[in-house]
């Protein structure tokens, strides 16, 4: 969608699923794993290629996994879920005909609820547990880009990022 001469809005969406069969001959069990996911993103880009350009992206992903194992007349099920939402905003500043600098920031919230099964040989006494894992990730970044010709391009970037996992904060930075 183009609301103006320098604005573009993109909406992307995807949904899918897989059904996988599992045969465990060692414990004489059959099973299946059903995986489904849905993704959506919304992007607003202001500016033109070769000019000052600002891009903002919002996204959301959710996934679910259902695993079932059958042994004789016994069946057990495990369900896991994951949700992820975030944003990314970057500004591209061109200088000269072949170079540009990109600066930006991003943030991500992830909520995962995996369910673990522990079994010993048969399904008569499975141990099942589901945990909740929440993380918040954030980053600031900058990148220098140079187009040497129509084919060869290079970039050099610096990124500072942090992660809050289970209320503990870890910070790291890197050159890429």
């Amino acid at each position: 969608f183009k609301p103006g001469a320098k604005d573009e809005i993109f909406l992307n969406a995807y949904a899918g699923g897989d059904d996988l069969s599992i045969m465990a001959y060692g414990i004489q069990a059959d099973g299946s794993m059903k995986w489904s996911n849905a993704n959506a993103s919304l992007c607003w880009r202001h500016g033109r290629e070769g000019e000052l350009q600002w891009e903002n992206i919002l996204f959301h992903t959710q996934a679910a996994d259902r695993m079932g194992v059958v042994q004789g007349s016994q069946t057990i099920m495990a369900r896991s879920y994951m949700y992820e939402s975030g944003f990314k905003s970057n500004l591209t500043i061109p200088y000269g005909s072949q170079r540009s600098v990109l600066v930006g920031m991003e943030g991500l919230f992830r909520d995962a609820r995996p369910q673990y099964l522990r079994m010993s040989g048969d399904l008569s006494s499975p141990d099942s547990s589901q945990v909740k894992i929440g993380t918040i990730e954030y980053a600031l970044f900058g990148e220098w880009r140079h187009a040497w010709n129509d084919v060869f391009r290079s970039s050099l970037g610096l990124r500072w990022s942090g992660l809050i996992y289970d209320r503990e904060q870890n910070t790291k930075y890197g050159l890429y």
Side-chain angles (χ1 to χ4, degrees):
F1 176 65
K2 291 185 142 234
K6 291 188 174 188
D7 293 300
E8 294 177 303
I9 297 176
F10 304 93
L11 175 64
N12 298 302
Y14 167 81
D18 295 305
D19 192 356
L20 307 169
S21 294
I22 304 166
M23 291 188 283
Y25 294 110
I27 60 171
Q28 298 176 349
D30 294 323
S32 68
M33 186 171 88
K34 295 182 186 282
W35 172 263
S36 61
N37 62 5
N39 307 299
S41 67
L42 179 65
C43 173
W44 170 47
R45 186 179 299 144
H46 178 75
R48 292 190 183 127
E49 189 74 31
E51 297 178 3
L52 188 69
Q53 195 173 49
W54 184 32
E55 186 174 70
N56 297 287
I57 301 169
L58 297 172
F59 63 89
H60 178 74
T61 300
Q62 61 187 53
D65 166 38
R66 188 177 81 214
M67 185 175 71
V69 178
V70 178
Q71 185 182 53
S73 63
Q74 297 176 326
T75 302
I76 59 170
M77 299 293 289
R79 289 186 163 86
S80 298
Y81 305 94
M82 186 198 67
Y83 306 95
E84 188 176 84
S85 296
F87 74 93
K88 184 175 184 176
S89 181
N90 50 329
L91 181 66
T92 303
I93 306 163
Y95 67 97
S97 62
Q98 314 252 308
R99 293 180 289 258
S100 64
V101 172
L102 179 136
V103 293
M105 64 179 169
E106 61 186 29
L108 171 71
F109 170 74
R110 184 177 294 126
D111 178 23
R113 297 172 189 201
Q115 186 169 14
Y116 300 100
L117 293 175
R118 292 176 200 88
M119 296 173 282
S120 56
D122 63 44
L123 302 183
S124 59
S125 59
D127 177 19
S128 172
S129 61
Q130 188 167 37
V131 296
K132 182 178 178 183
I133 302 167
T135 62
I136 298 173
E137 300 174 37
Y138 51 91
L140 297 173
F141 54 89
E143 182 177 322
W144 172 80
R145 298 176 175 175
H146 183 78
W148 299 94
N149 55 41
D150 290 342
V151 177
F152 185 68
R153 297 170 187 262
S154 63
S155 64
L156 178 66
L158 186 61
R159 180 180 181 91
W160 175 82
S161 61
L163 170 70
I164 300 172
Y165 175 79
D166 197 23
R167 297 185 200 103
E168 290 188 25
Q169 186 166 350
N170 299 306
T171 304
K172 58 186 169 186
Y173 53 91
L175 188 63
Y176 63 95

